[in-house]
Amino acid sequence: MSALLAGAGLQELAALVLVVGLNAYVLTGGADFGGGVWDLLAWGPRRAAQRALIARSIGPIWEANHVWLVLVVVVLFTAFPAVFATLGIVLHVPLSLMLLGIVLRGSSFVFRSYGTSGGAGRARWGRVFAISSVITPLMLGICVGAIASGAVGAAAQRLPARGSVPAPSFRELFVDPWLAPFPVAVGAMALAMFAFLAAVYLAAATRDEKLRGDFRRRAIGANVALFVVSFAALWLAGSEAPEVRHALMHGPAVALQGAIAIAAVSSLGALAARRHPLARAAAAAQVTLILWGWVVVQYPMLLPPLHTVRSAAAPEVTLRLLALALGGGAVVLLPSLAYLYRTFARVEERGVDAAGRGAPGGP
Amino acid sequence: MNDLLAARTQMALSLGFHIVFAEIGIAMPLLMVLAEWRWRRTGDPALRELAHRWAKGTAILFAVGAVSGTVLSFELGLLWPGFMRLAGPLIGMPFSLEGFAFFLEAIFLGVYLYGWERVSPRMHLGAGLIVAASGATSAVFVVMVNAWMNTPVGYRLAANGALADIDPLLAMRSPAAFQQILHMLLASYAATGLAVAGVHALMLLRGRGSALHRHALTIALVIGAPAAVLQPLSGDISARVVATTQPVKLAALEGQWETVRGAPLRVGGWPDAAREETRWALEIPHGLSLLAYHDPDARVQGLRDVARADRPPVAVVHLAFQVMVALGSAMALVALAAGWAALRRGQVHERRWLLLALAVVAPFGYLATEAGWIVTEVGRQPWVVQGLMRTEDAVTPMPGLIVPMLLFTLLYLFLGAIVVALMTSLVRETRPA
Ligand code: HDD
Ligand code: HEM
Ligand code: HEM
């Protein structure tokens, strides 16, 4: 890591903030989406209790968790405006679908929790909540995969000048870069990752042994699925993203892969041993390392092959002010977040009924 | 519909949808906190019930506000990559600060909504106050961006068309910033305060659960009425700044075609772009010069002095301005009447005509807000950044923009309908959940 950051300037700092913000989003907001996946897949005799636990753990925190994504977006367009513009152009379709998922997930969640409609209405919102919770991680991962593979940058280089007859077709420019096996595999990775995190967190969040068991088994299953799709992605990278594949197999990424393997084995081991807090830490470490694996492979490219962190960065003044703002903001933000999580660490102590109803109204 | 028009429509729709929830998110926490504070002071169970019900409504509306805001932040890149590439480094600063305001808002809203039994009463009220303050703060920051689009400062135009020597801090203090922020904040309190007052006035008229509705009416008026009375004054300040900084917009909103000294103020009328005149308006001699420059003989620039390609759609802007002023005047009058009634007899709740008037003006604030933003945004056309970048140069090169536009239109119609249905059943609900 120190080698990576040698000679780092404000540009690298801004990029670091992006990654840290994305990392925080994945660990918090990502797990909220993962909760929705388990809502969709709720089965067995404790189906209702599973859903209630999911709703109660997400309730007070998902909006705050969601702001990490907003922060990543504003830092991206402030510090690397050209990259933001290019992503907006080439990834218009998957980003719009992701937004659709975000809007439907958030609104259906509150409609279900606070709606006055009866059980049928609730069930319908529950369905929307669950399905949109799948769309968003998938699209997010697809966008990441498309960026990493270099297809987005390549498509951007072929964008026709305005007014000229577009030589490449709509499909070549706006669909092919992301609707390809490798990006889709990365999308599946994101989905498995978020579902894995959610299951581990949920198992740790309840004291009901049976419910714990349900989520423990789900966590193990999700981690196995994550392993499988990661391998698929690695294999597909051979043809679609040879640079990614090469970088993964050489240099610092190899050590990182070793670390990921250790974290994965520890989280599985901790789950099997029912050490839930340990499992939570190991799962967070595993996912964090995967994300950093992408970063290490790609650095110093921000949007390969078009922009490096340096070439895409905004002027020095902007970066300096941004650093100040982020520093000042962090001073206010971090204690507030800690307070939020501390207040709601144990969901079952809260005075809400088992259906997760009536929370804001209080008992 | 061409791609540019589709993009403009999608942006307008997304903003027009978001702004309603934003105004609620700015004002509603204050109402909520006031109700809880009164309850803690008096122990009146109706106030407690009211605070809980308002909190429940706010939870729904806030979530819709948050997701629609997220859509906006992406849409800046999805629809206007040219604009963001040019202006991102200069206006990113207020957006980033706004990000932190969102964080505080979401965190403490979580504490407020779910923490009734978990945190101390003082902390609970404090959390509500932080939500109220950060809502207003986020409005301040985002309107700074919009003000910069209207009156851009803080850069030098380099030979290659990029911005050089940028000064993001100066950009935050552009000439339009102060008065737009003031007008927007007052709009939020006036619109939401009077809307809530109107809803509860309607319930009082129907004789439902009156203790709760009486408290609600009082609290909503305490916030909404002063803001509604001040709003026309703040609008006058806005108009004067527009006159000096954006003369073309002023001409469009007044339907002024000729450059004259002592321009009249027009009430109503239809600007005819082909004939370059405004017909059927009631003209108050020297009114515009007087209002815009505080000098009856001041010179007002007309639209004919501007190349056709640089004129905004005059009829839309003029009409929207008339609508905003008419609605604002009605709101101010009703607010004054309510204040008068409260001062004279201390009883607003007993006067049916007043309750009726409040119920009628309930939606006016949101309608005036939409109209006001149409004035500001359409009045700036064809520029996305006044005099610096044209909207057509900002739009994404991706073709087929009509598809996402229709998709998001359907989505917002659907969400809007559900929110209205949920709110209606929430207000009707007799028992607390
Ligand atoms: C409750 C809502 C509301 C009400 C009652 C009014 N306005 Fe307004 N107006 C807005 C809500 C609004 C706004 C929040 O929608 C705008 C859009 C941009 C802005 O800064 O505020 C606006 C913009 C706006 C502008 C354009 C500012 C610019 O482009 O920079 C002017 C000149 C006025 N207003 C003037 C008035 C006048 C003379 C009013 C007299 C009654 C009035 N407004 C009532
Ligand atoms: C304060 C933050 C705001 C920002 C940064 C902002 C930014 C923009 C941008 C970038 C565009 C597209 C380019 C253009 O057409 O000029 C636009 C258009 C538009 N916006 Fe805003 N806007 C803001 C607030 C609002 C609000 C609250 C509304 C509410 C209705 C609104 C209404 C519109 C409309 C009607 C258009 C289309 C104008 C046209 O093309 O004729 N804006 N805005
Ligand atoms: C281009 C313009 C805009 C963008 C990009 C934008 C962005 C956002 C985002 C990302 C959120 C979600 C924050 C969260 O997750 O909690 C949000 C919420 C909010 N926005 Fe906007 N916004 C814009 C215009 C406006 C305007 C014009 C106002 C008001 C003056 C406003 C006031 C608010 C408020 C108060 C919230 C808090 C949520 C709520 O109360 O509903 N925004 N906005």
Side-chain angles (χ1 to χ4, degrees), chain B residues 4 7-8 11 75-84 391 394-396:
Chain B
L4 176 58
R8 287 164 62 185
M11 192 71 194
E75 274 175 350
L76 290 175
L78 293 175
L79 299 175
W80 314 107
F83 167 59
M84 292 314 286
T391 310
V395 74
T396 176

Side-chain angles (χ1 to χ4, degrees), chain A residues 59-71 73-75 77-78 81-82 84-89 91-93 95-100 102-104 106-107 109-111 113-117 125 159-160 162 170 174 307 314-315 317-318 321-322 325-330 332-333 336-337 339-340 342-352 358-363, chain B residues 10 48 52 55-56 59-60 62-64 66-68 70-79 81-82 84-93 95-100 102-104 106-120 123 163 165-169 392-393 395-401 404 407-408 411-412 414-415 418-419 421-422 425-426 429 433:
Chain A
I61 52 172
W62 72 268
E63 291 187 279
N65 293 344
H66 176 75
V67 186
W68 285 112
L69 182 64
V70 175
L71 195 71
V73 169
V74 296
V75 172
F77 70 56
T78 308
F84 181 68
T86 306
L87 296 183
I89 295 170
L91 295 176
H92 190 115
V93 180
L95 286 175
S96 292
L97 292 174
M98 182 176 111
L99 285 176
L100 217 58
I102 287 177
V103 170
L104 286 175
S107 38
F109 181 73
V110 287
F111 293 164
S113 316
Y114 306 109
T116 43
S117 54
W125 287 127
L159 280 177
R162 251 167 40 86
F170 183 92
F174 302 108
H307 293 292
V317 242
T318 303
L321 285 169
L322 183 66
L326 292 172
V332 186
L333 172 65
S336 308
L337 268 179
Y339 177 73
L340 177 75
R342 224 178 34 238
T343 309
F344 299 107
R346 275 256 151 58
V347 291
E348 76 270 27
E349 281 167 15
R350 205 166 343 126
V352 290
Chain B
Q10 183 176 337
R48 177 177 181 282
H52 277 93
K56 198 168 169 181
I60 299 175
F62 185 89
V64 178
V67 293
S68 60
T70 310
V71 172
L72 280 175
S73 54
F74 277 90
E75 274 175 350
L76 290 175
L78 293 175
L79 299 175
M84 292 314 286
R85 196 190 307 253
L86 178 84
L90 191 46
I91 56 165
M93 202 46 197
F95 273 125
S96 312
L97 292 169
E98 195 196 14
F100 285 103
F102 289 151
F103 255 128
L104 289 184
I107 289 172
F108 287 97
L109 190 75
V111 172
Y112 189 89
L113 293 177
Y114 291 81
W116 288 92
E117 310 295 322
R118 296 208 148 210
V119 302
S120 69
M123 193 56 223
L163 304 185
D165 301 336
I166 61 171
D167 183 347
L169 291 180
E392 65 190 22
D393 297 324
V395 74
T396 176
M398 192 186 88
L401 289 175
L407 200 69
F408 279 94
L411 179 70
Y412 284 139
F414 170 69
L415 282 185
I418 305 222
V419 168
L422 277 179
S425 67
L426 201 65
E429 203 178 77

